[in-house]
Amino acid sequence: MRRLEDIWLGSANRLSLPWLNASMERLRATMGRDYYPYGYRGAEREVEAMCRYSVEQYLAPRRVSASELFHSSLIET
């Protein structure tokens, strides 16, 4: 995330990619500063939503929890 921010805020990119600033500001306004969370805890809500959607769209026969999809050693990340 820090590297992406450095690229975004670099002066050469502001000149050569004029849409980048507006795009990044819109992205942060919509998704927050940490829009690619790492680890299970950071992505748990999104994984739970995918599990719910998969049942609602008849892609999965039953609803599973996000924790069922990952090895127990990953749950604490």
Side-chain angles (χ1 to χ4, degrees):
M1 296 306 294
R2 180 72 188 148
R3 180 161 161 64
L4 179 59
E5 187 172 281
D6 289 344
I7 291 169
W8 165 36
L9 297 175
S11 61
N13 290 311
R14 287 183 177 270
L15 296 174
S16 62
L17 303 172
W19 67 88
L20 182 59
N21 189 48
S23 178
M24 290 297 291
E25 288 175 355
R26 194 170 45 250
L27 175 68
R28 280 189 171 173
T30 303
M31 299 179 71
R33 284 189 71 82
D34 187 14
Y35 49 89
Y36 288 128
Y38 289 95
Y40 175 80
R41 294 288 177 217
E44 185 176 14
R45 280 184 38 211
E46 288 80 6
V47 175
E48 287 288 351
M50 289 187 294
C51 292
R52 186 175 66 252
Y53 298 155
S54 67
V55 172
E56 291 171 2
Q57 296 173 15
Y58 304 100
L59 299 172
R62 69 173 182 88
R63 173 123 183 236
V64 297
S65 68
S67 62
E68 288 181 73
L69 299 175
F70 298 93
H71 188 271
S72 60
S73 65
L74 298 174
I75 301 298
E76 298 304 316
T77 64

